[in-house]
Amino acid sequence: MSYMYPLPHRTHTHSLVSLGRADRYCEGSQNYIPIFSDVQTYTFVNEDDPDRTMVLSRQTVWERLRNGKAEVIYHYHSAPIQRVLAVHGNKTLNSFNPEVRAAALLREKLIGKYEAACRDKRKKLPFSISLQPDLDTWWRELHGIDVTSKNGRRRRTGQAIAKISNAPSWKTFKRDYDKYLASGRNPVAFVPLHRGPGSRKVITCRASELFHQKMAREYLSRLRPTPAQVHSEYLAELDLENDMRSAAGLPELLKFSLTKTKNAIKRFDAFEVMASREGEEAALKYFRDVKGSFDVERPGALIEIDEWKGDLITLLVTAGVWGHLPDTFIKALPKTLRVCITVAIDVATRYVLGVKITPTPSAEAIAGVLRMAMVDKTDLSRMVGAETDWTAFVKPDRGIPVWV
């Protein structure tokens, strides 16, 4: 014998709102982060004041959201969205120039085409080479034929056949799709971080360059520190130096990156590096003459000419003259100037006989170096205030250079 009892009447009071630590709960001008939840309540903490908390029931949260008194921004504190905010702030797509805005909207529409195709086929289209024809078709529908390039961009497919298209590859499209979803479908994620190779301007600061060069020379130690350790020590000393300069009312020194420290170390003389880190005996043994080609018996018997191209400011800092140049000369220097230095060196004595600086390598530079190698340069050395006279030169004697 069975009995049937009427069930109590259930009335819908509120829906369950799902919130996590990555979400933002907004009420008016106040923003909160949900940090704890149980069956009945949510606990929020104020973003601006972590000591300020608020406890609301789930029904209250739902009612405020329903009445428009509150708002939830899901995944606001996730890493992809915070990255977009850190780069572009709270800018909308309309804040950028028309060219950037059109490119971002085109990427967004291409994703819309992909999702529409997934809905039509009732499955998610795989990200593989088989998706490329569809991407090319959708791109032509959205963008049209690109008249700026005759054949589009030639893409390597991994086989002998090369596809020609202006559409992004399926791998690029997958990266764009993942980035778009992770950023909360915000098209600002497609805005490039910069255009071109970036600014080529260099902020000239002699004090910063000299301090960095001095700290980079800590690499020349028998303790044999790594470039990363040298850079860490440089940053620590830089903080102390800036504190003292701030107390004295002087401007702070610029901070350089680890890459610049490594480049400064690479520019050190190889013999000096090994002699400082391994010992002079090891350096002499490693860099000893190799008697495999030319046997130079006397000075002037063999002259070698070589060239080096690099930044002028870097050269002046490495040569140790940057800190002694007048301010008027520093201001007159261009921010970026790459020069070619052609040098003539005597093989027997390693004595520099001639130097010529030109914007680019040329035959004129070679002729100038040869001319300088065959004349007395005492007046030149005295004019620049050198400690010793530059007297050595060579002259041809029946086709054979003779040391003078």
Side-chain angles (χ1 to χ4, degrees):
M1 185 175 180
S2 62
Y3 298 93
M4 296 183 62
Y5 299 96
L7 295 174
H9 181 66
R10 294 186 177 182
T11 304
H12 177 267
T13 57
H14 65 279
S15 299
L16 295 178
V17 181
S18 178
L19 297 175
R21 289 179 177 266
D23 304 325
R24 169 186 267 191
Y25 179 79
C26 308
E27 281 193 3
S29 60
Q30 300 296 322
N31 301 319
Y32 298 90
I33 303 174
I35 59 172
F36 178 75
S37 65
D38 54 23
V39 179
Q40 298 293 333
T41 62
Y42 269 113
T43 302
F44 301 91
V45 63
N46 192 281
E47 289 185 359
D48 300 329
D49 186 6
D51 296 332
R52 179 183 173 187
T53 59
M54 178 177 65
V55 180
L56 297 177
S57 64
R58 290 179 177 268
Q59 182 175 356
T60 303
V61 172
W62 180 77
E63 290 176 350
R64 293 184 181 182
L65 292 175
R66 184 182 181 186
N67 297 332
K69 297 181 180 180
E71 180 186 6
V72 173
I73 304 178
Y74 287 101
H75 308 293
Y76 179 83
H77 294 286
S78 61
I81 293 182
Q82 287 300 310
R83 179 179 180 273
V84 174
L85 293 175
V87 174
H88 303 293
N90 292 320
K91 291 183 179 179
T92 61
L93 197 59
N94 295 328
S95 303
F96 300 93
N97 61 66
E99 182 181 355
V100 173
R101 184 166 61 248
L105 290 176
L106 187 62
R107 299 273 178 170
E108 187 179 27
K109 291 179 181 178
L110 187 65
I111 292 176
K113 288 279 190 180
Y114 169 78
E115 292 179 341
C118 292
R119 289 193 297 269
D120 294 340
K121 296 184 179 182
R122 297 183 178 180
K123 66 176 184 178
K124 185 175 182 179
L125 300 180
F127 294 104
S128 62
I129 191 63
S130 61
L131 183 63
Q132 192 61 54
D134 294 331
L135 290 176
D136 296 338
T137 302
W138 299 334
W139 185 267
R140 285 193 295 269
E141 294 176 359
L142 295 172
H143 188 271
I145 302 298
D146 191 355
V147 296
T148 59
S149 57
K150 183 177 179 181
N151 295 323
R153 185 178 71 253
R154 185 174 297 274
R155 182 185 302 110
R156 183 178 298 174
T157 61
Q159 299 177 359
I161 302 176
K163 302 293 183 181
I164 298 177
S165 173
N166 288 321
S169 65
W170 66 270
K171 294 182 180 180
T172 303
F173 176 76
K174 183 181 184 305
R175 287 195 295 268
D176 290 345
Y177 186 74
D178 295 340
K179 181 166 60 175
Y180 181 67
L181 295 184
S183 63
R185 294 183 174 270
N186 187 359
V188 178
F190 296 136
V191 175
L193 301 182
H194 60 83
R195 291 185 60 83
S199 176
R200 301 289 295 182
K201 294 183 178 179
V202 179
I203 302 176
T204 305
C205 179
R206 281 193 293 174
S208 301
E209 291 280 358
L210 293 173
F211 182 81
H212 179 263
Q213 186 72 12
K214 182 187 73 173
M215 295 304 303
R217 293 191 66 84
E218 295 295 327
Y219 183 77
L220 308 178
S221 171
R222 295 302 294 266
L223 298 177
R224 291 185 285 183
T226 63
Q229 292 172 340
V230 172
H231 186 70
S232 299
E233 186 176 352
Y234 156 71
L235 295 178
E237 293 293 333
L238 181 65
D239 291 339
L240 296 176
E241 182 69 18
N242 284 333
D243 291 341
M244 292 188 293
R245 293 176 68 90
S246 299
L250 299 175
E252 294 186 355
L253 299 180
L254 301 178
K255 181 172 69 173
F256 298 118
S257 63
L258 175 61
T259 301
K260 186 174 180 64
T261 302
K262 291 181 178 179
N263 292 337
I265 292 174
K266 290 178 181 178
R267 289 190 292 267
F268 291 155
D269 182 71
F271 180 84
E272 182 183 9
V273 171
M274 177 166 284
S276 301
R277 294 170 64 90
E278 305 290 343
E280 186 175 357
E281 183 179 354
L284 291 173
K285 182 179 180 181
Y286 183 83
F287 291 98
R288 68 181 184 274
D289 294 336
V290 179
K291 304 295 184 179
S293 55
F294 301 101
D295 188 9
V296 182
E297 297 180 352
R298 58 181 175 81
L302 181 61
I303 309 299
E304 292 183 345
I305 298 179
D306 199 0
E307 60 188 22
W308 175 85
K309 191 171 184 180
D311 185 71
L312 178 60
I313 296 179
T314 302
L315 173 65
L316 294 175
V317 172
T318 306
V321 299
W322 180 250
H324 305 287
L325 297 176
D327 293 336
T328 55
F329 182 82
I330 297 299
K331 294 180 180 178
L333 279 179
K335 301 300 181 184
T336 55
L337 177 61
R338 296 183 66 81
V339 295
C340 179
I341 303 174
T342 307
V343 183
I345 303 177
D346 177 65
V347 175
T349 61
R350 310 307 297 170
Y351 193 93
V352 178
L353 296 173
V355 178
K356 185 73 172 180
I357 300 178
T358 55
T360 57
S362 62
E364 179 186 359
I366 300 297
V369 167
L370 291 175
R371 190 180 304 111
M372 181 178 289
M374 293 187 292
V375 298
D376 188 0
K377 298 167 281 292
T378 302
D379 295 339
L380 179 62
S381 60
R382 292 181 180 180
M383 182 182 67
V384 299
E387 296 182 359
T388 57
D389 292 337
W390 196 3
T391 58
F393 63 94
V394 295
K395 64 178 183 179
D397 182 12
R398 298 179 182 179
I400 302 175
V402 178
W403 185 271
V404 179

